[in-house]
Amino acid sequence: MKTIDIDTRPFTDQKPGTSGLRKRVSVFQQPHYLENFVQSIFNTIGDLSGKTLVLGGDGRFYNLPAIQTILRMSSANGARSVIVGRDGLLSTPAASCVIRGREADGGIILSASHNPGGERGDFGIKFNASNGGPAPESLTERIYHESRHIASYRTLDTGAVDVAMGGSQDLNGMRVEVIDPVDDYAHLMEGLFDFNLIHQMFNSGHFRMRFDAMNAVTGPYATRILERMLGAEPGTVMNGVPLEDFGGLHPDPNLVYAKDLVEILYSKGGPDFGAAADGDGDRNMILGKRFFVTPSDSLAVMAANAHLLPGYRRGVRGIARSMPTSGAADRVAEALGVECFETPTGWKFFGNLLDEGRINLCGEESFGTGSDHVREKDGLWAVLFWLNMLAVKRAPVETIVRQHWRQFGRNYYSRHDYEGIPADAAQSMIEALRADVSGLEGKQIAGRAVAQGNDFEYTDPVDGSVTSRQGIRIIFEDGARIVFRLSGTGTEGATLRVYIESFEADPDRHDLETQAALSDLIDAAGEIGRIRHYTGRDEPSVIT
Ligand code: G1P
Ligand code: ZN
């Protein structure tokens, strides 16, 4: 076995987006493509000697070949050891947990999250630092810079390593440690939540749930924790075996893509609680009997009740939400007298706040919630949080949310996505909005006065770094908002996201259907953004 240096030429498109480098599988299959990016990571983080990395992915097509490539390159680049999930599996939050728990120097996660998988689907790769969190912008920029200048990469001239069996083996002087992908994570969860109480709830015979793993990575995690450790009945977990193409499902836990689960929860005699996670296990959707909890509300309800759970007894220290996420959590933070931060879209912006202890809960409208237990959003953690809350409060999901609205008011909230639109039209639209939006200040739109119109810019309170152009915002005096931004995770054309929100304090007006409650703002967004003109579409492709 020997180390070899292979000549290569830069690819120009290896710029990480909202969450790592995501491309079609066929792009990653080009000779040297993956290797170039991995070497760019290694060149950026510096000398690997003596270092330990964690490696795993969501099991999608190309996961296993990529694992082999990265193992060889890690050894050739001098790493001391790589901890890899058995069969190449690690959910994104579990990878974060293993990096932190085993004090590794960082990790490489292979996933395109909720994007479809399979040979014609997407693949992705991202680097997480020693805190277990996604590399900050400053690092991803340097990786991108490296990728533009790379001339060779270093690898080993050897066959495949067996990652199907646990235990340690040697790869040309580097230790490869294959671990059970669930153990560390399950142990962490046991320390945060009251497993006995949840077990009693399942045992009572009066509580049933369904968890949809969408044929993706959370299957083994949910089966072990919900069915084996917490005593939920067999069959609670559906689509529980990870498949390379997710069985053709689009593993994004929302009302559109988790349709089967939604039907079960809305059916007669259906279970009391439903949840789903995405491809790599960091997103979650929460459902009650015939009731959908918006992710923004979920974060707020969790914050208001955190003190009831063992891992959060000392209460909420501070909350952060991404800018487009509804303001529901802000009201809880205010009531608790703790700080609330508004960050750009993407989990990496929570990292500094979590590391500094300024916050211990955070979330995004895009079905992401998390805490300081890891440095990624965490789907199954959110489900366990809700289960623990339900077991303590002994009330149905809907009752808990309605009580929350009565206490704090209701933020009606919806996101309209226009997927696969031409990239230049999308750019022109955002540029036009950017140029004009401040001119809306003081005007009346949809019967509301515009308080602010701007393009969101964030100054990180910890390191002072500034991130600009994060979304066009129209903020009304009564708290309503319209936000426009382009997706940073798509792989085909552009996706326009329009976020619409209004606030309603009056409990007599908490029963409106969301789209109806927001209809005047939705119309206004269409006019201000000239959505039809730029996208050529009459309707969004997905409404969440
Ligand atoms: C989307 C979500 C964002 C999330 C990201 C990664 O990014 O909107 O909240 O952090 O996926 O899961 P976007 O495509 O909007 O850039
Ligand atoms: Zn994900």
Side-chain angles (χ1 to χ4, degrees):
M1 214 181 303
K2 61 178 198 292
T3 299
I4 41 177
D5 288 306
I6 309 257
D7 290 340
T8 186
R9 281 215 299 255
F11 291 88
T12 54
D13 65 345
Q14 298 196 321
K15 188 175 169 60
T18 311
S19 182
L21 182 69
R22 269 185 216 173
K23 301 281 173 197
R24 287 273 187 254
V25 165
S26 54
V27 174
F28 273 101
Q29 283 171 326
Q30 298 172 84
H32 312 309
Y33 193 88
L34 175 68
E35 289 87 345
N36 273 16
F37 191 72
V38 173
Q39 190 66 52
S40 301
I41 295 175
F42 291 163
N43 293 350
T44 305
I45 61 178
D47 189 9
L48 272 192
S49 53
K51 291 200 172 136
T52 296
L53 296 176
V54 170
L55 176 62
D58 62 14
R60 66 177 62 224
F61 186 86
Y62 208 55
N63 192 54
L64 284 173
I67 294 267
Q68 295 296 340
T69 300
I70 297 168
L71 284 174
R72 281 194 292 268
M73 289 183 66
S74 304
S75 172
N77 278 271
R80 183 174 59 151
S81 66
V82 173
I83 301 168
V84 51
R86 196 176 50 238
D87 293 325
L89 293 181
L90 276 177
S91 78
T92 293
S96 184
C97 159
V98 174
I99 294 171
R100 294 169 67 76
R102 296 182 184 237
E103 295 177 3
D105 297 287
I108 294 181
I109 304 179
L110 304 170
S111 167
S113 187
H114 52 287
N115 295 11
E119 205 169 342
R120 278 190 288 277
D122 289 344
F123 189 73
I125 172 168
K126 68 174 186 167
F127 178 72
N128 279 28
S130 60
N131 71 345
E137 292 269 273
S138 52
L139 198 58
T140 55
E141 274 304 312
R142 278 162 56 208
I143 295 171
Y144 175 51
H145 184 263
E146 275 297 321
S147 78
R148 302 291 303 265
H149 296 95
I150 192 163
S152 72
Y153 61 84
R154 180 161 281 206
T155 187
L156 281 188
D157 165 19
T158 177
V161 177
D162 181 4
V163 294
M165 290 251 291
S168 289
Q169 43 198 304
D170 174 77
L171 182 63
N172 207 30
M174 182 185 85
R175 197 161 83 110
V176 178
E177 192 184 350
V178 180
I179 60 164
D180 180 283
V182 182
D183 282 350
D184 296 39
Y185 179 81
H187 185 67
L188 179 63
M189 294 301 116
E190 259 184 312
L192 294 175
F193 303 115
D194 190 339
F195 272 37
N196 284 333
L197 194 69
I198 303 173
H199 199 282
Q200 280 167 26
M201 178 169 70
F202 278 121
N203 260 356
S204 70
H206 300 300
F207 182 87
R208 284 184 306 130
M209 81 167 284
R210 270 322 210 29
F211 179 89
D212 191 348
M214 305 191 86
N215 301 318
V217 80
T218 45
Y221 294 85
T223 307
R224 166 97 69 90
I225 296 173
L226 298 175
E227 295 186 9
R228 298 215 196 104
M229 296 171 78
L230 293 170
E233 64 188 12
T236 292
V237 178
M238 52 198 268
N239 300 317
V241 178
L243 301 175
E244 283 201 328
D245 64 349
F246 306 126
L249 290 185
H250 187 157
D252 201 1
N254 60 41
L255 295 174
V256 179
Y257 296 126
K259 209 165 99 290
D260 294 350
L261 176 76
V262 175
E263 266 167 27
I264 293 171
L265 267 293
Y266 279 71
S267 66
K268 212 163 160 253
D272 307 276
F273 181 57
D278 72 331
D280 62 330
D282 57 358
R283 293 186 173 197
N284 74 91
M285 174 170 69
I286 300 293
L287 298 167
K289 219 189 245 296
R290 290 193 206 90
F291 192 80
F292 165 63
V293 185
T294 71
S296 299
D297 277 347
S298 178
L299 173 65
V301 172
M302 288 163 81
N305 293 288
H307 62 281
L308 301 174
L309 318 186
Y312 303 89
R313 281 262 192 266
R314 276 187 271 142
V316 174
R317 268 200 302 281
I319 307 174
R321 62 163 173 85
S322 67
M323 181 274 285
T325 304
S326 99
D330 305 35
R331 294 174 190 279
V332 178
E334 203 186 327
L336 295 175
V338 300
E339 281 188 294
C340 186
F341 299 88
E342 187 177 44
T343 57
T345 297
W347 209 259
K348 57 188 168 219
F349 295 101
F350 296 135
N352 280 345
L353 297 168
L354 290 163
D355 284 347
E356 285 291 300
R358 300 277 290 265
I359 60 166
N360 59 344
L361 274 187
C362 47
E364 295 192 274
E365 51 66 40
S366 53
F367 297 83
T369 350
S371 87
D372 57 355
H373 69 289
V374 290
R375 292 294 180 274
E376 291 280 359
K377 56 189 176 241
D378 190 343
L380 199 49
W381 165 88
V383 176
L384 294 168
F385 197 117
W386 268 91
L387 279 171
N388 200 155
M389 220 160 58
L390 293 169
V392 172
K393 292 175 87 80
R394 296 167 180 268
V397 173
E398 177 168 358
T399 309
I400 292 175
V401 176
R402 288 191 179 281
Q403 272 168 1
H404 184 94
W405 290 340
R406 265 196 295 284
Q407 187 179 350
F408 295 97
R410 176 171 182 185
N411 291 66
Y412 282 103
Y413 185 83
S414 185
R415 184 176 103 183
H416 289 198
D417 292 337
Y418 296 79
E419 295 175 340
I421 57 176
D424 34 345
Q427 276 305 338
S428 310
M429 173 177 170
I430 293 294
E431 271 156 34
L433 278 166
R434 186 174 289 135
D436 296 343
V437 70
S438 62
L440 297 175
E441 289 181 4
K443 297 226 162 86
Q444 287 284 124
I445 296 174
R448 299 169 152 97
V450 178
Q452 284 179 55
N454 55 33
D455 191 349
F456 180 57
E457 181 175 277
Y458 177 67
T459 305
D460 187 302
V462 178
D463 65 16
S465 59
V466 176
T467 310
S468 46
R469 303 193 156 198
Q470 292 301 305
I472 310 291
R473 312 190 286 180
I474 300 157
I475 306 173
F476 297 89
E477 265 166 18
D478 63 358
R481 292 192 306 164
I482 300 171
V483 175
F484 299 89
R485 65 177 279 281
L486 298 182
S487 158
T489 56
T491 52
E492 213 52 1
T495 293
L496 167 70
R497 305 204 196 282
V498 187
Y499 310 81
I500 307 121
E501 172 180 10
S502 72
F503 178 69
E504 182 57 70
D506 180 2
D508 289 340
R509 298 186 50 80
H510 284 171
D511 288 318
L512 305 178
E513 192 275 319
T514 300
Q515 301 304 314
L518 296 171
S519 64
D520 54 345
L521 288 163
I522 292 170
D523 292 345
E527 277 167 39
I528 298 167
R530 302 184 64 205
I531 295 177
R532 187 169 301 152
H533 167 79
Y534 285 108
T535 66
R537 307 271 175 83
D538 287 326
E539 298 288 337
S541 2
V542 181
I543 296 180
T544 47

